């Protein structure tokens, strides 16, 4: 629902596709990803947070296992283009935006372990190059 609202208001989003468990055809999934996204790409459950069930697929040999993992957590798997970049977040408290901060996970992906294990991420405030980050900003939910 968030993506639908963001698109309605003109916010750029990552390209992607949804795959439903009940109509899953592995050959079609692979062809759609190859055509629309390429590799690497991200496959994750459509309705989970904290990177639960998320896989970054480097090539087509990883797609089926990634889709099956995502579908263990949801009836819908989501594929998105992968963008190698920086993890930036802005907290909001009672309608007031806090300073933007960069998150540097210890092992490259800001996954469940890095989010919830003390010492597994470094938080940098303030951002030194905020304008550079925002130049080509696209939202990932």
């Amino acid at each position: 629902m968030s993506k639908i609202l963001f698109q309605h208001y003109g916010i750029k989003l990552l390209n992607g596709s949804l795959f439903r468990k009940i109509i899953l055809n592995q050959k079609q999934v692979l062809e759609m990803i190859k055509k629309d996204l390429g590799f690497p790409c991200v496959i994750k459950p459509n309705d989970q947070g904290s990177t639960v069930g998320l896989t970054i697929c480097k090539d087509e040999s990883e797609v089926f296992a990634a889709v099956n993992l995502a579908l263990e957590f949801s009836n819908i798997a989501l594929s998105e283009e992968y963008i190698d970049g920086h993890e930036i977040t802005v907290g909001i408290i009672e309608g007031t935006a806090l300073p933007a901060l960069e998150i540097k996970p210890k092992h490259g992906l800001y996954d469940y372990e890095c989010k919830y294990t003390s010492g597994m991420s470094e938080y940098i405030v303030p951002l030194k190059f905020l304008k550079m980050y925002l130049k080509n900003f696209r939202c990932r939910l």
Side-chain angles (χ1 to χ4, degrees), residues 103-119:
I103 303 167
K104 289 191 171 187
K106 295 294 182 189
H107 54 69
L109 175 65
Y110 190 49
D111 62 6
Y112 190 89
E113 179 185 20
C114 288
K115 289 179 183 184
Y116 299 109
T117 304
S118 181

Side-chain angles (χ1 to χ4, degrees), residues 16-17 21 27 29 33 37-38 48 56 61 65 75 85-86 93 100 102 124 130 136:
S17 299
K21 186 182 285 190
K27 185 177 179 182
V29 168
I33 289 172
L37 304 176
Q48 293 293 312
I56 298 174
S61 69
N75 288 324
H86 299 266
I93 297 177
E102 181 176 359
I124 301 169
L130 184 58
N136 294 309

Side-chain angles (χ1 to χ4, degrees), residues 4-36:
I4 292 169
L5 288 171
F6 281 24
Q7 286 175 322
H8 176 76
Y9 289 103
I11 297 172
K12 291 189 232 175
L13 299 171
L14 299 175
N15 294 326
S17 299
L18 295 173
F19 306 110
R20 297 185 186 285
K21 186 182 285 190
I22 58 173
I23 59 169
L24 186 63
N25 176 309
Q26 292 184 352
K27 185 177 179 182
Q28 287 177 327
V29 168
L30 185 57
E31 290 306 313
M32 286 178 70
I33 289 172
K34 286 167 51 176
K35 178 181 170 259
D36 297 338

Side-chain angles (χ1 to χ4, degrees), residues 62-129:
E62 299 174 313
V63 169
F64 299 127
V67 170
N68 289 331
L69 175 64
L71 291 174
E72 287 180 23
F73 298 96
S74 176
N75 288 324
I76 301 173
L78 171 66
S79 65
E80 291 180 326
E81 63 184 306
Y82 173 77
I83 297 177
D84 186 21
H86 299 266
E87 189 80 32
I88 299 171
T89 190
V90 176
I92 299 174
I93 297 177
E94 295 181 4
T96 302
L98 301 175
L101 65 94
E102 181 176 359
I103 303 167
K104 289 191 171 187
K106 295 294 182 189
H107 54 69
L109 175 65
Y110 190 49
D111 62 6
Y112 190 89
E113 179 185 20
C114 288
K115 289 179 183 184
Y116 299 109
T117 304
S118 181
M120 289 300 294
S121 293
E122 177 184 1
Y123 302 94
I124 301 169
V125 179
L127 292 176
K128 294 179 182 176
F129 305 104

